[in-house]
């Protein structure tokens, strides 16, 4: 079971909670974001990813998380993003003394919306006490997500190529070319969930051809677009339904 909602206090952040199902858990795929995690009462930080990760990287029966927008976590945590790429690190190693108030779960409640809310409040307090994130991060993401080249993005945000690479590693964990690939992957996966044919997806996200898209999905997500689409096809939600953490 997995549920998510937009954060009520952190612009652009997503609050989520999950518990393992009966079958194998879907891998966590790169998205350019960093997460604060609550896992059976323990606090972790998930760095940005360059490959699929098993949910077994942090073992627990119950999870809650706050997915922070790309480029915002380093200021909150006080470390550059490249120090945490593909890692899951206890929060205490980065912010000693930070604790989450005890969260009591009612009998029979497994995923704990209370844990999600408490983690969201903790993230908001950390953000309020932290220096502002790199002011260029949002612009870099916006230009790359729109499909602009690295050179055009550098020009748009007023940086040279080397400056853009350095700022991107500090904010996102990797250079702008890798970030562009990850953002393109997310666009492709979103379109795949709608049932769009692979050839049309390749054109829509700016891949040279369908074979290029297939290589990107295999390298970054560890699967094929067809297999992902079959497992994640969107289904209509009942009117008035919601998934709130």
């Amino acid at each position: 079971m997995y549920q998510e909602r937009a954060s009520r206090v952190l612009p652009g952040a997503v609050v989520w909670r999950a518990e393992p199902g009966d079958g194998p858990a879907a891998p966590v795929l790169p998205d350019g974001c960093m997460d604060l995690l609550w896992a059976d009462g323990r606090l972790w930080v998930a760095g940005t990813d360059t490959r699929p990760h098993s949910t077994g990287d942090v073992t627990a029966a119950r999870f809650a998380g706050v997915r922070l927008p790309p480029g915002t976590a380093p200021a909150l945590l006080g470390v550059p993003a490249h120090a945490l790429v593909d890692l899951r690190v206890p929060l205490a190693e980065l912010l000693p003394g930070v604790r989450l108030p005890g969260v009591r779960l009612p009998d029979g409640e497994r995923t704990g919306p209370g844990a999600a809310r408490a983690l969201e409040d903790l993230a908001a307090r950390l953000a309020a006490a932290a220096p502002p994130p790199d002011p260029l991060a949002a612009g870099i993401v916006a230009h790359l997500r729109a499909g602009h080249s690295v050179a055009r993005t550098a020009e748009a945000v007023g940086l040279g190529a080397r400056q853009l690479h350095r700022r991107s590693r500090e904010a996102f964990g990797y250079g702008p070319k890798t970030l562009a690939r990850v953002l393109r992957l997310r666009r492709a996966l979103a379109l795949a969930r709608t049932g769009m044919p692979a050839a049309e997806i390749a054109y829509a996200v700016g891949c040279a051809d369908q074979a290029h898209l297939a290589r990107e999905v295999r390298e970054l997500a560890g699967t094929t677009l067809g297999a992902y689409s079959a497992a994640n096809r969107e289904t209509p939600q009942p009117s008035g339904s919601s998934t709130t953490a």
Side-chain angles (χ1 to χ4, degrees), residues 134-182:
D134 187 332
L136 297 182
I140 294 170
V141 171
H143 280 83
L144 294 177
R145 182 175 281 147
H148 297 311
S149 68
V150 171
R152 186 173 176 183
T153 297
E155 181 179 1
V157 299
L159 295 176
R162 290 185 179 180
Q163 290 176 309
L164 176 62
H165 187 82
R166 177 179 59 80
R167 297 275 282 265
S168 294
R169 290 189 72 244
E170 291 176 352
F172 314 115
Y174 29 62
K177 289 184 179 180
T178 299
L179 178 61
R181 292 178 65 207
V182 168

Side-chain angles (χ1 to χ4, degrees), residues 152-235:
R152 186 173 176 183
T153 297
E155 181 179 1
V157 299
L159 295 176
R162 290 185 179 180
Q163 290 176 309
L164 176 62
H165 187 82
R166 177 179 59 80
R167 297 275 282 265
S168 294
R169 290 189 72 244
E170 291 176 352
F172 314 115
Y174 29 62
K177 289 184 179 180
T178 299
L179 178 61
R181 292 178 65 207
V182 168
L183 296 175
R184 182 170 59 195
L185 170 73
R186 302 309 302 190
R187 296 199 306 274
L189 296 181
L191 292 173
R193 291 194 297 271
T194 70
M196 179 181 287
E200 295 181 22
I201 294 174
Y203 177 79
V205 302
C207 285
D209 51 32
Q210 189 172 335
H212 178 200
L213 174 63
R215 290 193 301 271
E216 292 286 275
V217 174
R218 173 65 71 181
E219 290 178 12
L220 292 171
T223 187
T224 66
L225 199 62
Y228 177 87
S229 179
N232 295 274
R233 186 68 57 86
E234 289 180 347
T235 55

Side-chain angles (χ1 to χ4, degrees), residues 63-165:
F63 291 90
V66 176
R67 185 177 307 120
L68 299 166
T72 61
L76 185 150
L77 299 171
V79 295
H82 60 74
L84 300 174
V85 171
D86 288 317
L87 296 178
R88 307 297 185 252
V89 178
L91 180 62
E93 292 186 9
L94 305 177
L95 297 175
V98 171
R99 299 289 185 270
L100 191 69
V103 177
R104 295 184 179 181
L105 303 181
D107 291 342
E109 182 179 302
R110 298 188 59 195
T111 52
R117 288 192 294 269
L119 188 62
E120 181 182 17
D121 290 342
L122 173 63
R125 292 197 302 271
L126 293 176
D134 187 332
L136 297 182
I140 294 170
V141 171
H143 280 83
L144 294 177
R145 182 175 281 147
H148 297 311
S149 68
V150 171
R152 186 173 176 183
T153 297
E155 181 179 1
V157 299
L159 295 176
R162 290 185 179 180
Q163 290 176 309
L164 176 62
H165 187 82

